[in-house]
Amino acid sequence: MCRTGDVPEPAETGDGTGTDAAFTALLEDSVEDLYESAPCGYLSTMMDGTIAKINNTLLDWLGLSREAVVGTRRFPDLLTVGGKLYHETHFAPLLRMQGELHGIALEMKTRDGRRLPVLVSSLVKQSSEGEPLLIRTTVFDASDRRAYEEELLRRRHEAEQARAEAEAARVQAEEARRQAEADRARLADALAVLQQSLVPTSLPDVPGLETAVYYHTASADRLGGDFYDLFPLDGERWGFFLGDVCGKGPQAASLTSLTRYTLRAAALHDPEPAAALATLNAVLYERYAAGGDPRYCTAVFGIVEPGADGGPAAVRMASGGHPPALVLRSDGRAEFLPTPGGLLVGVLPDAPIGTVKTALAPGDTLLLYTDGLTEGRTGPTRGDMYGEEALHAFATDLAPAPPDEVITALTGLLKSFGDGLDDDTALLALGVPPVRPHPRPTTSHPR
């Protein structure tokens, strides 16, 4: 529906006949026709998700008949397995709490088995007494978003081809170089925007904990695959994870996005770290490996429960093929927290997952990192790998240190690698503030 002020005024002709006719023509569409033939999908459901009304646009997109949907299916039944999991564990609970959600990315399944990427917005209609009556939902086709990723790949291929032709044909070398650089600059701008959408812009404040994070992108013209997050589970516990997906570019970005949202949704459904990684493994295996296109990741997922009054924080973690976390203790020690037996997530239908527990005392700092740090190349010829032993020695010399000092020191270490750092690197540090001694009260003595 448009407001009157949003419609340009027709040019005046001296009488109102032309103007009235134009507005009358605009208003001839019936409300029912506007609903059924809208450029987006509309549906209304009962509070349990049962579909009560759906427009022709959405039915055409899905290839379904109205009789097969209305009164017989629930909204989650129209979604893919991953979309249904996200709806049940994240979308539906938030909608019940907030009353509305906007622009949520999901995938719907069509009658012929295709996946339709969509953006969904829902609003709970309430009675005059505030009781929820039904849910109104709009669905927008997001297929162009996928096409945009393919366009990015095409542009990158064109840039590489232009550089190859420039070497073969010196007459056109300068023009080809300028074109390639222009394409690369546009691609880098687009990739930078996409990269920022794959990780949180900032970490939340966690009572009783100090946090710090750093993300290094190895190449401006490739989307990275490292990811991290920190989010509340309830009033006392916080979930965190960090990992690295296989590959680079738009495919890795798509896998990173799926991994982050799956872990968040899984944590809300079952906050046990091993259960969250098992859910991620099932989603990745079903979507990729089972279809003959295996994609996987390494990941560590944890739950931290800060202690009361500045006391120790309890930490439980699970790992799927990820490098061990490192703890800088308040007494000056540094120790790895190994999670043996954990396998890459998404390779097997039932991947083994390693688990570990620890306590962070006041002054302790927990460090999570991706292998870009330990696989950085050092030495005069950049032929030596930095490795876990060097990282342990570095942390031992640094301990004890709060999260911000740990991340600052490691950022300087990464910069010292120079061109020996050719992989993305994510760093996440969580720590318990040290106990500050109470000042002794001053006592004045009479003279």
Side-chain angles (χ1 to χ4, degrees):
M1 181 178 294
C2 297
R3 295 173 297 179
T4 303
D6 294 335
V7 180
E9 291 285 346
E12 294 190 10
T13 59
D15 61 43
T17 303
T19 301
D20 293 341
F23 277 106
T24 299
L26 289 174
L27 297 176
E28 284 182 352
D29 286 342
S30 67
V31 173
E32 186 67 22
D33 184 59
L34 289 173
Y35 177 86
E36 294 292 349
S37 304
C40 61
Y42 286 118
L43 71 158
S44 300
T45 67
M46 308 302 292
M47 295 306 299
D48 64 355
T50 302
I51 298 173
K53 188 175 182 181
I54 186 169
N55 72 342
N56 286 333
T57 300
L58 186 52
L59 289 172
D60 290 342
W61 288 353
L62 301 178
L64 300 174
S65 66
R66 195 179 307 273
E67 293 76 13
V69 173
V70 174
T72 61
R73 292 197 186 184
R74 298 168 60 246
F75 175 60
D77 298 334
L78 305 181
L79 304 177
T80 60
V81 173
K84 183 181 297 185
L85 173 65
Y86 182 80
H87 181 275
E88 297 293 344
T89 59
H90 188 74
F91 187 97
L94 281 180
L95 181 60
R96 285 193 294 268
M97 287 188 295
Q98 300 178 4
E100 58 181 321
L101 288 175
H102 301 282
I104 304 300
L106 295 172
E107 281 192 334
M108 306 186 81
K109 56 185 179 182
T110 65
R111 184 178 180 181
D112 57 5
R114 292 183 298 105
R115 295 174 180 267
L116 177 66
V118 294
L119 292 176
V120 176
S121 297
S122 292
L123 174 69
V124 176
K125 179 182 178 181
Q126 297 179 337
S127 67
S128 57
E129 291 78 18
E131 293 295 326
L133 299 177
L134 54 84
I135 301 172
R136 290 173 173 168
T137 298
T138 57
V139 180
F140 290 91
D141 187 347
S143 300
D144 288 344
R145 185 175 180 178
R146 297 284 175 85
Y148 181 61
E149 293 179 352
E150 295 176 357
E151 176 65 13
L152 291 178
L153 286 173
R154 186 184 68 81
R155 285 183 174 273
R156 181 180 177 184
H157 176 72
E158 290 176 352
E160 293 175 350
Q161 184 178 8
R163 286 194 292 269
E165 291 176 352
E167 294 178 358
R170 294 191 177 186
V171 176
Q172 301 176 354
E174 187 60 25
E175 180 62 26
R177 184 187 65 83
R178 286 196 296 265
Q179 181 63 42
E181 289 301 322
D183 288 347
R184 182 174 181 177
R186 289 193 295 270
L187 178 62
D189 290 341
L191 294 179
V193 174
L194 286 176
Q195 186 73 66
Q196 292 174 1
S197 68
L198 298 178
V199 293
T201 56
S202 62
L203 295 180
D205 293 330
V206 182
L209 289 182
E210 295 177 338
T211 62
V213 69
Y214 176 73
Y215 190 93
H216 168 79
T217 303
S219 176
D221 59 357
R222 294 190 306 177
L223 282 171
D226 291 4
F227 58 90
Y228 62 86
D229 209 343
L230 174 65
F231 55 96
L233 294 175
D234 50 39
E236 299 178 351
R237 298 177 302 169
W238 293 73
F240 62 90
F241 56 79
L242 180 140
D244 183 7
V245 305
C246 66
K248 301 292 180 185
Q251 290 183 340
S254 176
L255 181 57
T256 298
S257 178
L258 175 62
T259 298
R260 284 191 62 227
Y261 286 116
T262 299
L263 284 176
R264 270 187 167 252
L268 292 174
H269 181 68
D270 186 345
E272 281 301 315
L277 287 188
T279 298
L280 175 62
N281 184 80
V283 171
L284 296 187
Y285 184 82
E286 177 187 356
R287 180 161 183 174
Y288 297 112
D293 181 23
R295 299 182 197 175
Y296 53 85
C297 71
T298 68
V300 57
F301 184 95
I303 302 295
V304 57
E305 185 173 351
D309 301 324
V315 177
R316 291 176 293 149
M317 293 190 299
S319 175
H322 199 78
L326 186 61
V327 180
L328 285 70
R329 298 295 184 185
S330 60
D331 59 5
R333 295 179 296 116
E335 60 182 6
F336 285 111
L337 296 178
T339 49
L343 189 67
L344 292 173
V345 180
V347 176
L348 298 177
D350 296 304
I353 295 170
T355 60
V356 67
K357 297 180 181 180
T358 191
L360 298 180
D364 290 352
T365 296
L366 172 69
L367 172 66
L368 304 178
Y369 55 93
T370 53
D371 58 10
L373 171 60
T374 52
E375 293 181 359
R377 292 176 287 110
T378 61
T381 62
R382 303 299 183 190
D384 301 324
M385 188 175 295
Y386 185 66
E388 291 183 355
E389 290 185 5
L391 176 60
H392 183 268
F394 183 89
T396 301
D397 293 339
L398 189 62
D404 58 343
E405 292 185 13
V406 173
I407 296 302
T408 298
L410 289 174
T411 301
L413 174 64
L414 291 172
K415 292 180 180 178
S416 71
F417 292 161
D419 57 4
L421 188 64
D422 56 5
D423 194 8
D424 303 318
T425 304
L427 306 173
L428 175 63
L430 312 173
V432 178
V435 177
R436 306 296 181 186
H438 295 287
R440 295 181 178 179
T442 57
T443 304
S444 58
H445 300 278
R447 297 183 178 179

